[in-house]
Amino acid sequence: MRICGCKLSVISIKWQIGDGFSVKFWTDPWLTVDVRLLDVAVSPVLTDMHDTYVASFVTKSGGWRWDLFHHLLPPSVCLTIAGFHPPSLHLGKDKIVWGHESNGKFSSSSAYRRLRVSSSSSNQDTLWSTVWHWHGPQRIRAFMWLVAHDALLTNWKRCYRHLASDSSCARCGMPIESALHVLRDCPHARRIWEKCHTSRFISDFYHLNLLAWLQQNL
């Protein structure tokens, strides 16, 4: 695809997880538009697992089966996965979507933004500026500033700094208590969000990483 003579890479599309029966966990791009989990694994992934579908990595209760992949991926990638809603039949079929809109639909404006953005640092600068100029109580702005810098002392952060030995969420038992888990993905937080938004919005809402989620909702 070309816009004004500039080529948009095919990595601008990705899989959006629904029921998880069409997307391969290790070899299909579903986490972000340019990442295959097999390429970022820190330990060898058995060949027999390469074609395993995302649906196979979900527990009967609907959570991620961390025991199958937690030890094979960097902590930062695990944190990103923690921000994704696990596959579920009620989310419908997996589908290929435009990777630069939360709703997965192509728009010329997002394509131009894709062409203009040269690095992730520019996105962060935009977010930090948005937080800094947000109109509201100072204490909330300060809290959002900490979130935008991923500086909340969650249990995972405490473990990383050798201040604690347990990185799990004390409320739900999730193995990695990230900022996004505390604010959005913990079942206790989800119940609040789901009362505020429609089910269709929630589907997109849970597929964004921390920075994109903040940028989208400020």
Side-chain angles (χ1 to χ4, degrees):
M1 179 184 298
R2 289 182 178 273
I3 296 180
C4 295
C6 298
K7 185 177 181 180
L8 281 178
S9 171
V10 293
I11 64 171
S12 291
I13 60 174
K14 68 168 188 171
W15 281 98
Q16 179 173 295
I17 300 300
D19 57 20
F21 287 106
S22 300
V23 183
K24 295 176 182 178
F25 185 87
W26 292 105
T27 57
D28 282 332
W30 62 273
L31 204 60
T32 66
V33 295
D34 56 355
V35 171
R36 295 191 320 156
L37 294 182
L38 186 64
D39 296 332
V40 297
V42 295
S43 297
V45 179
L46 295 176
T47 303
D48 292 345
M49 296 180 64
H50 288 190
D51 292 331
T52 306
Y53 292 100
V54 179
S56 299
F57 292 82
V58 180
T59 65
K60 291 182 179 179
S61 60
W64 289 109
R65 291 190 61 185
W66 293 99
D67 59 301
L68 295 181
F69 60 85
H70 178 259
H71 58 293
L72 299 174
L73 295 169
S76 59
V77 174
C78 288
L79 285 172
T80 302
I81 293 175
F84 275 67
H85 193 297
S88 175
L89 292 176
H90 83 269
L91 294 177
K93 299 289 186 180
D94 303 325
K95 57 184 178 181
I96 294 177
V97 298
W98 174 248
H100 303 292
E101 286 283 8
S102 60
N103 61 10
K105 296 180 179 180
F106 174 82
S107 68
S108 57
S109 60
S110 66
Y112 279 110
R113 285 198 304 270
R114 166 66 175 166
L115 293 172
R116 288 199 305 265
V117 174
S118 59
S119 68
S120 60
S121 61
S122 63
N123 284 334
Q124 291 177 340
D125 290 342
T126 299
L127 173 60
W128 294 338
S129 177
T130 300
V131 171
W132 186 254
H133 292 94
W134 181 78
H135 296 290
Q138 174 62 30
R139 64 182 183 277
I140 297 179
R141 186 186 301 115
F143 177 78
M144 291 193 299
W145 185 260
L146 289 174
V147 174
H149 285 78
D150 197 17
L152 291 183
L153 270 183
T154 61
N155 282 340
W156 182 83
K157 280 286 186 181
R158 283 157 51 83
C159 280
Y160 182 79
R161 298 181 183 182
H162 306 290
L163 299 175
S165 58
D166 185 1
S167 64
S168 65
C169 175
R171 303 203 69 186
C172 73
M174 166 73 184
I176 299 178
E177 186 193 60
S178 65
L180 199 53
H181 175 79
V182 170
L183 297 173
R184 187 191 70 184
D185 297 328
C186 180
H188 297 278
R190 285 170 63 92
R191 281 195 288 269
I192 297 174
W193 288 116
E194 288 171 0
K195 290 180 180 179
C196 300
H197 302 294
T198 65
S199 58
R200 181 177 180 181
F201 179 80
I202 284 291
S203 178
D204 295 329
F205 186 78
Y206 284 115
H207 281 83
L208 300 174
N209 62 35
L210 178 62
L211 294 181
W213 184 70
L214 286 173
Q215 187 76 59
Q216 183 80 12
N217 292 286
L218 282 178

